[in-house]
Amino acid sequence: MTWTEIDTWIVVTGALIAMACAVPGVFLLLNKQSMLGDAISHAVLPGLAIAFLVSGTRDPGPMLVGAVAAGLFTGVLTEVIHRRGRVDSGAALGVVFCSLFALGLVLIRLAADRVDLDPGCVLYGALETAVVDVGPVPTIAWLSGGMLAANLLLAVLFYKELRIAAFDPALATASGIPARIVTHGLTVVTAVTTVVAFESVGSILVIAMLIVPGATALLLSHRLGVVLIWTLVLAALAAVGGHLAAISVVPAALGQLSGHAALGSVSSAGMMAAFSGLTFFAVLCVARLREGAKRQAVRPPEPVPGT
Amino acid sequence: MDALWRFLSLQDYNTRVVLAGVCALGAAAGLVGTFLLLRKRSLLGDTLGHATLPGVAGAFLIAHALGWEARSIVLLLGGAAVAGVCGMAAVLAIRRWSHIKDDAALAIVLGVFFGAGVTLVSAVQQLPGGNSAGLDHFIYGKTASMTAADAAFILWASLGVALVCVALFKEFGLLCFDEGFAAAAGWPRRVLDAVLMGLVVVVTVVGLQAVGLLLVVALLVIPPAAARFWSDRLGVMAPVAAGVGAASGFVGVAASAVFPRLPAGALIVLAAAALFAISLAFGAKRGLAIRAFHERRAEQRLRREHLLRAIYECGEDADFPMVALSQISARRPWHPGRLRREVRRAVEDGLVVAAVDGERVQLTKTGMVEARRLVRNHRLWELYLLHHAEVAPGRVDRDADMIEHVLDPRLVDELEHLLDEERRKSFVPLDPERGALPSP
């Protein structure tokens, strides 16, 4: 295992993206919209395809507009089907994103003569190639850093609104903060973050990083401020640990397993997601054990026979 | 047109095979998905589908190490099933051991397992022959090139899933509608839950190989959601969902026969989406059209009752002379146009007669009977609220307004009886504000 400048940038960019995703993720968790990230990452496909067909280029500008529009459309359509049609919100989300993804696949096939778009790159992404860039700092690092800064700024500015809308939507609406507007705002932020992130790291890292660090942090604390700080720490940790594992332990182990000792490094983005999952399940087990111990401690004494 | 005819007449062997496989899968997925929908876990299929990826890649790696035929489909499906069960166990563990919500548990397992899967795939691709492992088929499917063996496999698996669903229909229904009761009554709730999720794993794994991840997820989610608009009864909803699933398959395969360039899986999903949209609009039980119709009817009835009561109360003190519309407006905050419209409708129905100038109205005989009944119900209800429900007097009239329209005659009798018991002696001045209780 040799550490190069590229490794540094992979870790830095991965950490920045993970943290940028994790911030809105905490509020998605609290709003019970956890699957929104997954849904958006599928549903942007028709947005991308239409942006292609209209603009005829693969420039990031039109792509971003198309993807964000598709993301927002997903959020609004789900809301409409959920409220007007009285369909369970999870099912409504499933109906919308499956249909949009299918539409995207059809559109891409229709446009295949004119543009070259590989749905696979949307799914997997390639952090390793994205950071190879001219100049001292890769563009993608700047982009992710900016995204993180923007998300943090929004979270701090609207901290009160986000908190009240997450914990008590009725109270929020009663005190002049329309919870639905907050929800839609969150959807937009999630859509933008998702699109920016998965152009470089693929949707896997986005889905995992939106939810897993936040969920782990919620196991560690019940205070929103503390949860947010833990979330950032855990997201960064996942990036560092994931990449380290991806270039050292995992290829070695898999090489042993498959009988090819000379296996090269594996997908860093995938490993970052897996690492955050390991952290989550470790924390879950520890929390479980401690809770068990606590229960043991407060169990009332055995009743004395004969009383 | 020719292509469509060729398809409909089932001339091609390949068409018959694909059609049988896809329709069977659609029906099985619709059936299982119904229970998932009612348990508010529609997206479980999505999670399990993604969670199978590390299993497929892992099986490939292990087979490679042991020198077996790494691309054997049985092996890869076995790996997928193992990973699916692990994913399911992880969801259940998170649910049991923490306060994390179901949707978050699904998202966590999805992201983490898929991440692990991508890692393993990136390792597989470095192995000799790994690039052509066809793992992509598991995500996008290869519906159009389904073989007879694939279709037979799907048919048998779907049949098995359907049999289990039918055998455990009552138990699953109980689990969906009243989990607490199921637990209290001693049903093995967790076992049933695990069996249900196991069925989802079977459907997902079987479908993955034949039609791809997207299509399996869509068939688990969309047909049950569409069926929900057609019935409130599980016994009706489940077969409808299975039917919608099969129909989506049929329409989608037909469309792909006409447009062979388009991906068949995506067309099937779009067919399901179209069926969903139709159900959303015209579903017999919860569709938007039927609900709008019922709401309109209820509003009309409400306005009619308000009008009759207003006319009655205006003329109550003076032996029911002609009542001016302006007097009614004072009681009902209606736009004058609306009031006139309501009066015209009431005249058409023979409940009210209007003076020649149209500015004054009077109840007909039938109208009087109806109005008496309404006013009586209203005042009984007011009294009940005052004396039994301890509602503040200032609010009584408003609350009574809201509920009087839904009182059924039996309840009115009961109320009357109750109040008579309470004040047997005196004839009660029942309008708490002023008037007497009109006798029916």
Coordinates of all heavy atoms in Angstrom, one line a residue, chain A residues 29 32-35 38 84-88 90-91 94-95 97-99 101-102 105-106 109 119 123-124 204 211 215 254 257-258 260 263-267 270-271 277 280 284 288, chain B residues 37 40 42-43 46 61 64-65 94 97-98 100-101 103-104 107-108 110 112 114-115 118-120 122-123 126-128 139-140 214 217-218 221 229 261 266 269-270 273 286 288 291:
Chain A
L29 N -34.0 12.0 8.0 CA -34.2 11.0 9.0 C -35.3 11.4 9.9 O -36.3 10.7 10.2 CB -33.0 10.8 9.8 CG -32.0 9.7 9.4 CD1 -30.8 9.8 10.2 CD2 -32.6 8.3 9.7
K32 N -38.8 11.4 8.6 CA -39.2 10.1 8.0 C -39.2 10.2 6.5 O -40.1 9.7 5.8 CB -40.6 9.7 8.5 CG -40.7 9.7 10.0 CD -41.9 8.9 10.5 CE -42.0 9.0 12.0 NZ -43.1 10.0 12.3
Q33 N -38.2 10.8 5.9 CA -38.1 10.8 4.4 C -36.8 10.1 4.0 O -36.2 10.5 3.0 CB -38.0 12.3 3.9 CG -39.3 13.0 4.1 CD -39.1 14.5 3.6 OE1 -38.4 15.2 4.2 NE2 -39.7 14.8 2.5
S34 N -36.4 9.1 4.8 CA -35.1 8.5 4.6 C -34.9 8.0 3.2 O -33.8 8.0 2.6 CB -34.8 7.4 5.6 OG -35.0 7.9 6.9
M35 N -35.9 7.5 2.5 CA -35.7 6.8 1.2 C -35.7 7.9 0.1 O -35.5 7.5 -1.1 CB -36.8 5.8 1.0 CG -36.7 4.6 1.8 SD -35.2 3.6 1.6 CE -35.7 2.5 0.3
D38 N -32.5 7.8 -2.1 CA -32.6 6.7 -3.1 C -33.5 7.0 -4.2 O -33.2 6.8 -5.4 CB -33.0 5.4 -2.3 CG -33.2 4.2 -3.3 OD1 -32.3 4.1 -4.1 OD2 -34.2 3.5 -3.2
R84 N -53.5 13.5 -1.9 CA -54.7 13.4 -2.7 C -55.2 12.0 -2.8 O -56.4 11.7 -2.7 CB -54.6 14.1 -4.1 CG -54.2 15.5 -4.0 CD -55.4 16.4 -3.6 NE -56.5 16.2 -4.4 CZ -57.8 16.5 -4.1 NH1 -58.0 17.1 -2.9 NH2 -58.8 16.3 -4.8
G85 N -54.3 11.1 -3.1 CA -54.7 9.7 -3.4 C -54.7 8.9 -2.1 O -55.1 7.7 -2.1
R86 N -54.3 9.4 -1.0 CA -54.2 8.7 0.3 C -53.5 7.4 0.2 O -53.9 6.4 0.7 CB -55.6 8.5 0.8 CG -56.4 9.8 1.1 CD -57.7 9.5 1.8 NE -58.5 10.7 1.7 CZ -59.8 10.7 2.0 NH1 -60.4 9.6 2.4 NH2 -60.5 11.8 2.0
V87 N -52.3 7.5 -0.5 CA -51.5 6.3 -0.6 C -50.4 6.4 0.4 O -49.9 7.5 0.7 CB -50.8 6.2 -2.0 CG1 -49.9 5.0 -2.2 CG2 -51.9 6.2 -3.1
D88 N -50.0 5.3 1.0 CA -48.9 5.3 2.0 C -47.7 6.0 1.4 O -47.4 5.8 0.2 CB -48.6 3.9 2.4 CG -47.3 3.7 3.1 OD1 -47.1 4.4 4.1 OD2 -46.4 3.0 2.6
G90 N -44.5 5.8 1.6 CA -43.4 4.9 1.1 C -43.8 4.4 -0.3 O -43.0 4.4 -1.2
A91 N -45.1 3.9 -0.4 CA -45.5 3.4 -1.6 C -45.6 4.4 -2.7 O -45.2 4.2 -3.8 CB -46.9 2.7 -1.4
G94 N -42.3 5.0 -4.0 CA -41.9 3.9 -4.8 C -42.5 4.0 -6.2 O -41.8 3.8 -7.2
V95 N -43.8 4.3 -6.3 CA -44.5 4.4 -7.5 C -43.8 5.5 -8.4 O -43.5 5.3 -9.6 CB -46.0 4.8 -7.3 CG1 -46.6 5.1 -8.6 CG2 -46.7 3.6 -6.7
F97 N -40.7 7.0 -8.2 CA -39.3 6.9 -8.7 C -39.1 5.7 -9.6 O -38.4 5.8 -10.6 CB -38.3 6.9 -7.5 CG -38.0 5.6 -6.8 CD1 -37.1 4.7 -7.5 CD2 -38.4 5.4 -5.6 CE1 -36.8 3.5 -6.8 CE2 -38.1 4.2 -4.9 CZ -37.3 3.3 -5.6
C98 N -39.9 4.6 -9.4 CA -39.8 3.5 -10.3 C -40.2 4.0 -11.7 O -39.6 3.7 -12.7 CB -40.6 2.3 -9.9 SG -39.9 1.4 -8.5
S99 N -41.4 4.7 -11.8 CA -41.9 5.1 -13.0 C -40.9 6.1 -13.7 O -40.7 6.0 -14.9 CB -43.3 5.8 -12.8 OG -44.1 5.0 -12.1
F101 N -37.7 6.4 -13.3 CA -36.5 5.7 -13.7 C -36.8 5.0 -15.0 O -35.9 5.0 -15.9 CB -36.0 4.7 -12.6 CG -34.7 4.2 -12.8 CD1 -33.6 5.0 -12.8 CD2 -34.4 2.8 -13.0 CE1 -32.3 4.5 -13.0 CE2 -33.2 2.3 -13.2 CZ -32.1 3.2 -13.2
A102 N -37.9 4.3 -15.1 CA -38.2 3.6 -16.3 C -38.4 4.5 -17.5 O -37.8 4.3 -18.6 CB -39.6 2.8 -16.1
L105 N -35.0 5.4 -18.6 CA -34.3 4.4 -19.4 C -34.8 4.4 -20.9 O -34.1 4.3 -21.8 CB -34.6 3.0 -18.8 CG -33.8 2.7 -17.5 CD1 -34.2 1.3 -17.0 CD2 -32.3 2.7 -17.8
V106 N -36.2 4.6 -21.0 CA -36.7 4.7 -22.3 C -36.2 5.9 -23.1 O -35.8 5.8 -24.3 CB -38.3 4.7 -22.3 CG1 -38.9 5.0 -23.6 CG2 -38.8 3.3 -21.8
R109 N -32.7 5.4 -24.3 CA -32.6 4.5 -25.4 C -33.0 5.3 -26.7 O -32.5 5.1 -27.8 CB -33.5 3.3 -25.2 CG -33.3 2.2 -26.3 CD -31.9 1.6 -26.3 NE -31.6 0.9 -25.1 CZ -31.9 -0.4 -24.9 NH1 -32.5 -1.1 -25.9 NH2 -31.6 -1.0 -23.8
P119 N -26.1 4.7 -18.1 CA -26.8 4.8 -16.8 C -25.9 4.2 -15.7 O -26.0 4.6 -14.6 CB -28.0 3.9 -17.0 CG -28.1 3.7 -18.5 CD -26.8 3.9 -19.1
L123 N -25.0 5.2 -11.5 CA -25.1 4.3 -10.4 C -23.8 4.2 -9.6 O -23.8 4.3 -8.4 CB -25.5 2.9 -10.8 CG -27.0 2.7 -11.0 CD1 -27.3 1.3 -11.5 CD2 -27.8 3.0 -9.7
Y124 N -22.7 4.0 -10.3 CA -21.5 3.7 -9.6 C -20.6 4.9 -9.3 O -20.1 5.0 -8.2 CB -20.7 2.6 -10.4 CG -21.4 1.4 -10.6 CD1 -21.6 0.9 -11.9 CD2 -21.9 0.7 -9.5 CE1 -22.3 -0.3 -12.0 CE2 -22.6 -0.5 -9.7 CZ -22.8 -1.0 -11.0 OH -23.5 -2.2 -11.1
I204 N -24.5 5.3 -4.8 CA -24.4 4.5 -3.6 C -23.9 5.3 -2.4 O -24.5 5.3 -1.3 CB -23.3 3.4 -3.7 CG1 -23.2 2.9 -5.1 CG2 -23.6 2.3 -2.8 CD1 -22.0 3.3 -5.8
I211 N -28.0 9.0 5.0 CA -28.7 8.4 6.2 C -27.8 7.8 7.2 O -28.1 8.0 8.4 CB -29.7 7.4 5.6 CG1 -30.7 8.0 4.7 CG2 -30.5 6.7 6.8 CD1 -31.4 9.2 5.3
A215 N -28.1 8.4 11.3 CA -28.7 7.3 12.1 C -27.8 6.9 13.2 O -28.2 6.7 14.3 CB -29.1 6.1 11.2
L254 N -9.8 -10.1 -0.1 CA -10.5 -10.7 -1.2 C -9.5 -11.4 -2.1 O -9.9 -12.4 -2.7 CB -11.2 -9.6 -2.0 CG -12.4 -8.9 -1.3 CD1 -13.0 -7.8 -2.2 CD2 -13.4 -10.0 -1.0
L257 N -9.1 -14.7 -0.7 CA -10.3 -15.5 -0.9 C -10.4 -16.0 -2.3 O -10.7 -17.2 -2.5 CB -11.5 -14.6 -0.6 CG -12.9 -15.2 -0.7 CD1 -13.1 -16.2 0.5 CD2 -14.0 -14.2 -0.7
S258 N -10.1 -15.2 -3.3 CA -10.3 -15.7 -4.6 C -9.1 -16.3 -5.2 O -9.1 -16.7 -6.4 CB -10.8 -14.5 -5.5 OG -9.8 -13.5 -5.5
H260 N -6.3 -14.8 -5.9 CA -5.5 -13.9 -6.7 C -4.8 -12.9 -5.8 O -5.4 -11.8 -5.6 CB -6.3 -13.2 -7.8 CG -6.7 -14.1 -8.9 ND1 -6.1 -14.1 -10.1 CD2 -7.7 -15.0 -9.0 CE1 -6.6 -15.0 -10.8 NE2 -7.6 -15.6 -10.2
L263 N -4.6 -8.6 -6.2 CA -5.8 -7.8 -6.5 C -5.5 -6.3 -6.2 O -4.9 -6.0 -5.1 CB -6.9 -8.3 -5.6 CG -8.3 -8.3 -6.2 CD1 -8.3 -9.1 -7.5 CD2 -9.3 -9.0 -5.2
G264 N -5.9 -5.5 -7.1 CA -5.7 -4.0 -6.9 C -6.7 -3.5 -6.0 O -7.6 -4.2 -5.5
S265 N -6.6 -2.2 -5.7 CA -7.6 -1.6 -4.8 C -9.0 -1.6 -5.3 O -9.2 -1.6 -6.5 CB -7.2 -0.1 -4.5 OG -7.2 0.6 -5.7
V266 N -10.0 -1.7 -4.4 CA -11.4 -1.8 -4.8 C -12.0 -0.5 -4.7 O -11.4 0.5 -4.3 CB -12.1 -2.8 -3.9 CG1 -11.6 -4.2 -4.1 CG2 -12.0 -2.4 -2.4
S267 N -13.3 -0.4 -5.1 CA -14.0 0.9 -5.2 C -14.1 1.6 -3.8 O -14.5 1.1 -2.8 CB -15.5 0.6 -5.6 OG -16.3 1.7 -5.2
G270 N -17.7 2.6 -2.7 CA -18.5 1.5 -2.1 C -18.0 1.2 -0.7 O -18.7 0.9 0.2
M271 N -16.6 1.2 -0.6 CA -16.1 0.9 0.7 C -16.4 1.9 1.8 O -16.6 1.6 3.0 CB -14.5 0.7 0.5 CG -13.9 -0.3 1.4 SD -14.8 -1.8 1.7 CE -14.7 -1.9 3.5
G277 N -21.5 1.7 7.3 CA -22.4 0.6 7.8 C -21.8 -0.2 9.0 O -22.5 -0.4 9.9
F280 N -22.1 1.9 12.0 CA -23.5 1.9 12.5 C -23.8 0.6 13.2 O -24.3 0.7 14.4 CB -24.5 2.0 11.3 CG -25.9 1.9 11.7 CD1 -26.6 2.9 12.3 CD2 -26.6 0.7 11.5 CE1 -27.9 2.8 12.7 CE2 -27.9 0.5 11.9 CZ -28.5 1.6 12.5
L284 N -24.8 0.2 17.1 CA -26.1 -0.4 17.4 C -25.9 -1.5 18.4 O -26.6 -1.6 19.4 CB -26.7 -0.9 16.2 CG -28.1 -1.5 16.3 CD1 -29.1 -0.5 16.7 CD2 -28.6 -2.2 15.1
R288 N -27.2 -1.4 22.3 CA -28.1 -2.5 22.7 C -27.6 -3.2 24.0 O -28.3 -3.4 24.9 CB -28.1 -3.5 21.5 CG -28.8 -4.8 21.8 CD -30.3 -4.6 21.9 NE -31.0 -5.8 22.4 CZ -32.2 -5.8 22.9 NH1 -32.8 -4.7 23.1 NH2 -32.7 -6.9 23.3
Chain B
L37 N -47.5 -3.4 1.3 CA -48.1 -2.1 1.3 C -48.9 -1.9 2.6 O -48.8 -0.8 3.2 CB -49.0 -2.0 0.1 CG -49.9 -0.7 0.0 CD1 -49.0 0.5 -0.3 CD2 -51.0 -0.8 -1.0
K40 N -47.0 -1.0 5.4 CA -46.3 0.3 5.1 C -44.8 0.0 4.9 O -43.9 0.7 5.4 CB -46.4 1.3 6.3 CG -47.9 1.7 6.5 CD -47.9 2.9 7.5 CE -49.3 3.1 8.0 NZ -50.3 3.3 6.9
S42 N -43.6 -0.9 1.6 CA -43.5 -1.1 0.2 C -42.1 -1.1 -0.3 O -41.8 -1.8 -1.3 CB -44.3 0.0 -0.6 OG -45.6 -0.3 -0.5
L43 N -41.2 -0.3 0.3 CA -39.9 -0.1 -0.3 C -38.9 -1.2 0.1 O -37.8 -1.2 -0.2 CB -39.4 1.2 0.1 CG -40.1 2.4 -0.6 CD1 -39.7 3.7 -0.2 CD2 -40.0 2.2 -2.1
D46 N -37.2 -2.8 -2.7 CA -36.2 -1.9 -3.2 C -34.9 -2.2 -2.4 O -33.8 -2.5 -3.0 CB -36.6 -0.5 -3.0 CG -35.6 0.5 -3.7 OD1 -34.9 0.1 -4.6 OD2 -35.5 1.6 -3.2
L61 N -17.0 -14.5 -6.4 CA -15.6 -14.6 -5.8 C -15.3 -15.9 -5.2 O -14.3 -16.5 -5.5 CB -15.4 -13.5 -4.8 CG -15.1 -12.1 -5.2 CD1 -15.2 -11.1 -4.1 CD2 -13.8 -12.0 -5.9
H64 N -15.1 -18.6 -7.8 CA -13.8 -18.5 -8.5 C -12.7 -19.1 -7.7 O -11.8 -19.8 -8.3 CB -13.6 -17.0 -8.8 CG -12.6 -16.7 -9.8 ND1 -11.2 -16.7 -9.6 CD2 -12.7 -16.5 -11.2 CE1 -10.6 -16.5 -10.7 NE2 -11.5 -16.3 -11.7
A65 N -12.7 -18.8 -6.4 CA -11.6 -19.3 -5.6 C -11.6 -20.8 -5.5 O -10.6 -21.5 -5.5 CB -11.7 -18.8 -4.2
I94 N -32.5 -3.8 13.2 CA -32.5 -2.3 13.5 C -33.8 -2.0 14.1 O -33.9 -1.2 15.1 CB -32.3 -1.5 12.2 CG1 -30.9 -1.8 11.7 CG2 -32.5 -0.1 12.4 CD1 -30.6 -1.2 10.3
W97 N -33.9 -3.4 17.8 CA -32.9 -2.9 18.8 C -32.8 -1.4 18.9 O -32.0 -1.0 19.7 CB -31.6 -3.5 18.4 CG -31.5 -5.0 18.6 CD1 -32.4 -5.8 19.2 CD2 -30.4 -5.8 18.2 NE1 -32.0 -7.1 19.2 CE2 -30.8 -7.1 18.6 CE3 -29.2 -5.6 17.6 CZ2 -30.0 -8.2 18.4 CZ3 -28.4 -6.7 17.4 CH2 -28.8 -8.0 17.8
S98 N -33.5 -0.7 18.1 CA -33.4 0.8 18.3 C -34.7 1.5 18.0 O -35.7 0.8 17.7 CB -32.3 1.3 17.3 OG -32.8 1.2 16.0
I100 N -35.0 3.6 15.7 CA -34.9 4.1 14.3 C -36.1 3.6 13.5 O -36.5 2.5 13.6 CB -33.6 3.6 13.7 CG1 -32.4 4.3 14.3 CG2 -33.5 3.9 12.2 CD1 -31.1 3.8 14.0
K101 N -36.6 4.5 12.8 CA -37.9 4.2 12.0 C -37.6 3.3 10.9 O -36.5 3.1 10.4 CB -38.4 5.5 11.5 CG -38.8 6.6 12.5 CD -40.1 6.2 13.2 CE -40.5 7.3 14.2 NZ -39.5 7.3 15.3
D103 N -38.4 3.4 7.8 CA -37.9 3.9 6.5 C -36.4 4.1 6.6 O -35.7 3.9 5.6 CB -38.6 5.2 6.1 CG -38.3 6.3 7.1 OD1 -38.3 6.1 8.3 OD2 -38.2 7.4 6.6
A104 N -35.9 4.5 7.7 CA -34.5 4.8 7.9 C -33.8 3.4 7.9 O -32.7 3.3 7.3 CB -34.2 5.5 9.2
A107 N -33.4 2.4 4.4 CA -32.4 3.2 3.7 C -31.0 2.8 4.1 O -30.0 2.7 3.3 CB -32.6 4.7 3.9
I108 N -30.8 2.5 5.4 CA -29.4 2.2 5.9 C -29.0 0.9 5.2 O -27.9 0.8 4.7 CB -29.5 2.0 7.4 CG1 -29.7 3.4 8.1 CG2 -28.2 1.3 7.9 CD1 -30.0 3.3 9.5
L110 N -30.1 -0.6 2.6 CA -29.9 -0.4 1.1 C -28.5 0.2 0.8 O -27.8 -0.4 0.0 CB -31.0 0.5 0.6 CG -31.2 0.7 -0.9 CD1 -32.6 1.1 -1.3 CD2 -30.2 1.7 -1.5
V112 N -25.8 0.6 2.6 CA -24.6 -0.1 3.1 C -24.4 -1.4 2.3 O -23.3 -1.6 1.8 CB -24.8 -0.4 4.6 CG1 -23.7 -1.4 5.1 CG2 -24.8 0.8 5.4
F114 N -25.5 -2.1 -0.7 CA -25.2 -1.8 -2.1 C -23.7 -1.3 -2.2 O -23.0 -1.7 -3.1 CB -26.1 -0.8 -2.6 CG -26.2 -0.8 -4.1 CD1 -26.6 -1.9 -4.8 CD2 -25.9 0.3 -4.8 CE1 -26.6 -1.9 -6.2 CE2 -25.9 0.4 -6.2 CZ -26.3 -0.8 -6.9
G115 N -23.3 -0.6 -1.2 CA -21.9 -0.1 -1.1 C -21.0 -1.3 -1.1 O -20.0 -1.4 -1.8
V118 N -20.9 -3.0 -4.4 CA -20.1 -2.3 -5.4 C -18.6 -2.6 -5.2 O -17.9 -2.8 -6.1 CB -20.4 -0.8 -5.4 CG1 -19.4 0.0 -6.2 CG2 -21.8 -0.5 -5.9
T119 N -18.2 -2.6 -3.9 CA -16.8 -2.9 -3.6 C -16.5 -4.3 -4.1 O -15.5 -4.5 -4.8 CB -16.7 -2.9 -2.0 OG1 -17.2 -1.7 -1.5 CG2 -15.2 -3.1 -1.7
L120 N -17.3 -5.3 -3.9 CA -17.1 -6.6 -4.3 C -17.1 -6.7 -5.8 O -16.2 -7.4 -6.4 CB -18.1 -7.6 -3.7 CG -18.0 -7.8 -2.2 CD1 -19.1 -8.7 -1.7 CD2 -16.6 -8.4 -1.8
S122 N -16.2 -4.4 -7.8 CA -15.0 -3.8 -8.3 C -13.8 -4.8 -8.2 O -12.9 -4.7 -9.0 CB -14.7 -2.5 -7.6 OG -14.3 -2.7 -6.3
A123 N -13.9 -5.7 -7.2 CA -12.9 -6.7 -7.1 C -13.1 -7.8 -8.2 O -12.2 -8.3 -8.8 CB -13.0 -7.3 -5.7
Q126 N -11.7 -7.3 -11.5 CA -10.2 -7.4 -11.7 C -9.9 -8.9 -12.0 O -8.7 -9.2 -12.3 CB -9.5 -6.9 -10.5 CG -9.7 -5.5 -10.2 CD -9.0 -5.0 -9.0 OE1 -8.1 -5.6 -8.5 NE2 -9.5 -3.9 -8.4
L127 N -10.8 -9.8 -11.7 CA -10.5 -11.2 -11.9 C -10.6 -11.5 -13.4 O -11.3 -10.9 -14.2 CB -11.5 -12.1 -11.2 CG -11.5 -12.0 -9.7 CD1 -12.6 -12.8 -9.1 CD2 -10.2 -12.4 -9.1
P128 N -9.8 -12.5 -13.9 CA -10.0 -13.0 -15.3 C -11.4 -13.5 -15.5 O -11.9 -14.3 -14.7 CB -8.9 -14.1 -15.4 CG -8.6 -14.5 -14.0 CD -8.8 -13.3 -13.2
I139 N -29.1 -5.8 -12.6 CA -29.6 -4.4 -12.3 C -30.6 -4.0 -13.4 O -31.7 -3.6 -13.1 CB -28.5 -3.4 -12.2 CG1 -27.7 -3.7 -10.9 CG2 -29.1 -2.0 -12.1 CD1 -26.5 -2.9 -10.7
Y140 N -30.3 -4.3 -14.6 CA -31.2 -3.8 -15.7 C -32.0 -5.0 -16.3 O -33.0 -4.7 -16.9 CB -30.4 -3.2 -16.8 CG -29.7 -2.0 -16.3 CD1 -28.3 -1.9 -16.2 CD2 -30.4 -0.9 -15.9 CE1 -27.7 -0.8 -15.7 CE2 -29.8 0.3 -15.4 CZ -28.4 0.3 -15.3 OH -27.8 1.4 -14.8
L214 N -34.9 -3.1 -11.2 CA -35.9 -2.0 -11.3 C -37.3 -2.6 -11.4 O -38.2 -2.2 -10.8 CB -35.6 -1.2 -12.6 CG -36.8 -0.3 -13.0 CD1 -36.9 0.9 -12.1 CD2 -36.6 0.1 -14.4
V217 N -38.7 -4.3 -8.2 CA -39.1 -3.3 -7.2 C -40.5 -2.7 -7.7 O -41.4 -2.6 -6.9 CB -38.1 -2.2 -7.1 CG1 -38.5 -1.1 -6.2 CG2 -36.8 -2.8 -6.6
A218 N -40.5 -2.3 -9.0 CA -41.8 -1.7 -9.5 C -43.0 -2.6 -9.3 O -44.0 -2.2 -8.9 CB -41.6 -1.3 -10.9
V221 N -44.2 -2.7 -5.8 CA -44.8 -1.5 -5.3 C -46.1 -1.1 -6.0 O -47.1 -0.8 -5.4 CB -43.8 -0.4 -5.3 CG1 -44.4 0.9 -4.9 CG2 -42.6 -0.7 -4.4
F229 N -56.9 1.4 -4.7 CA -58.0 2.3 -5.1 C -59.3 1.6 -5.4 O -60.3 2.2 -5.5 CB -57.6 3.1 -6.3 CG -56.4 4.1 -6.0 CD1 -55.2 3.9 -6.6 CD2 -56.7 5.2 -5.2 CE1 -54.2 4.8 -6.3 CE2 -55.7 6.1 -4.9 CZ -54.4 5.8 -5.5
R261 N -36.9 -1.7 -30.0 CA -35.7 -1.1 -29.6 C -35.7 -0.7 -28.1 O -34.7 -0.5 -27.5 CB -35.4 0.2 -30.4 CG -34.8 -0.1 -31.8 CD -34.5 1.1 -32.5 NE -33.6 2.0 -31.8 CZ -33.8 3.3 -31.6 NH1 -34.9 3.8 -32.0 NH2 -32.9 4.0 -30.9
A266 N -38.4 -1.6 -18.8 CA -38.9 -0.2 -18.5 C -40.3 -0.1 -19.0 O -41.1 0.6 -18.4 CB -38.0 0.8 -19.2
V269 N -42.7 -1.4 -16.5 CA -42.9 -0.5 -15.4 C -43.8 0.7 -15.9 O -44.7 1.1 -15.1 CB -41.6 0.1 -14.9 CG1 -41.8 1.1 -13.8 CG2 -40.7 -1.0 -14.5
L270 N -43.6 1.2 -17.1 CA -44.5 2.3 -17.5 C -45.9 1.8 -17.7 O -46.8 2.6 -17.4 CB -43.9 2.8 -18.8 CG -42.6 3.6 -18.7 CD1 -42.1 4.2 -20.0 CD2 -42.8 4.8 -17.7
A273 N -47.3 1.9 -14.3 CA -47.5 3.3 -13.9 C -48.8 3.8 -14.6 O -49.6 4.5 -13.9 CB -46.4 4.1 -14.3
R286 N -61.5 4.3 -3.8 CA -60.7 5.4 -3.3 C -60.2 6.3 -4.4 O -59.4 7.2 -4.2 CB -59.5 5.0 -2.5 CG -59.9 4.1 -1.3 CD -58.6 3.7 -0.7 NE -58.7 3.6 0.8 CZ -57.8 3.9 1.6 NH1 -56.6 4.2 1.2 NH2 -58.0 3.8 2.9
L288 N -59.9 9.2 -7.3 CA -60.2 10.6 -7.1 C -61.6 11.0 -7.6 O -62.3 11.8 -6.9 CB -59.1 11.5 -7.9 CG -57.7 11.4 -7.3 CD1 -56.8 12.2 -8.2 CD2 -57.7 11.9 -5.9
R291 N -64.3 9.8 -5.1 CA -64.3 10.6 -3.9 C -64.8 12.0 -4.1 O -65.5 12.5 -3.2 CB -62.8 10.6 -3.3 CG -62.5 9.3 -2.6 CD -61.6 9.5 -1.4 NE -60.8 10.7 -1.5 CZ -59.5 10.6 -1.8 NH1 -58.9 9.5 -2.2 NH2 -58.7 11.7 -1.9

